[in-house]
Amino acid sequence: MAYWLVKSEPFKYAWDTFVADGRTHWDGVRNHQAALNLKTMKVGERAFFYHSNEGLEIVGIAEIVREAYPDPTDPAGRFVMVDLKPVMPVKTPVTLKQMKGDPALAEMQLIKQSRLSVCPVTDDQWAHICALAGVPA
């Protein structure tokens, strides 16, 4: 199973809104590398839900419930979206500052390519962050 991290600006789409909605489509991704990551996602895989710009922290865990399909917000038809559902909030949010200072996460794509909105997370990184967040891996 692969693991992921998806970023959302809380003023646009916060964790609490996601939980209230119960499911959402992850659209509007226009970075080619992030879009390739969306195309790789499989149903049942998990993703950290990360608040960017405000908070700068992992706040929850989501599950991919529909694999990549055309994003209707892209008039050129080149980009895709996936559907996600919330699984659980984390007990303790894991901040970007905390991750940047943790040698176990030094190679994390979120750290190395901070502007990437959808990125993979290795098995070891997933387990480590789950431990920091107080949730089962």
Side-chain angles (χ1 to χ4, degrees), residues 3-21:
Y3 296 103
W4 306 95
L5 181 139
V6 294
K7 293 166 74 174
S8 181
E9 297 172 354
F11 71 92
K12 288 185 179 177
Y13 197 74
W15 172 259
D16 290 341
T17 306
F18 181 39
V19 170
D21 289 348

Side-chain angles (χ1 to χ4, degrees), residues 25-29 38 66-73 79-83:
H25 51 270
W26 212 256
D27 65 350
V29 173
L38 287 176
R66 183 175 176 192
E67 294 175 16
Y69 60 102
D71 182 343
T73 68
F79 291 97
V80 298
M81 60 187 187
V82 299
D83 289 357

Side-chain angles (χ1 to χ4, degrees), residues 12-85:
K12 288 185 179 177
Y13 197 74
W15 172 259
D16 290 341
T17 306
F18 181 39
V19 170
D21 289 348
R23 181 180 174 135
T24 195
H25 51 270
W26 212 256
D27 65 350
V29 173
R30 296 297 180 266
N31 173 285
H32 290 282
Q33 187 174 357
L36 285 173
N37 290 335
L38 287 176
K39 290 177 182 177
T40 306
M41 291 177 167
K42 301 293 180 211
V43 168
E45 293 177 343
R46 298 278 171 105
F48 289 124
F49 191 101
Y50 177 86
H51 277 167
S52 65
N53 290 339
E54 297 172 24
L56 302 175
E57 59 192 2
I58 292 171
V59 295
I61 295 176
E63 182 176 317
I64 289 74
V65 293
R66 183 175 176 192
E67 294 175 16
Y69 60 102
D71 182 343
T73 68
D74 172 25
R78 292 177 296 189
F79 291 97
V80 298
M81 60 187 187
V82 299
D83 289 357
L84 305 171
K85 72 174 183 179

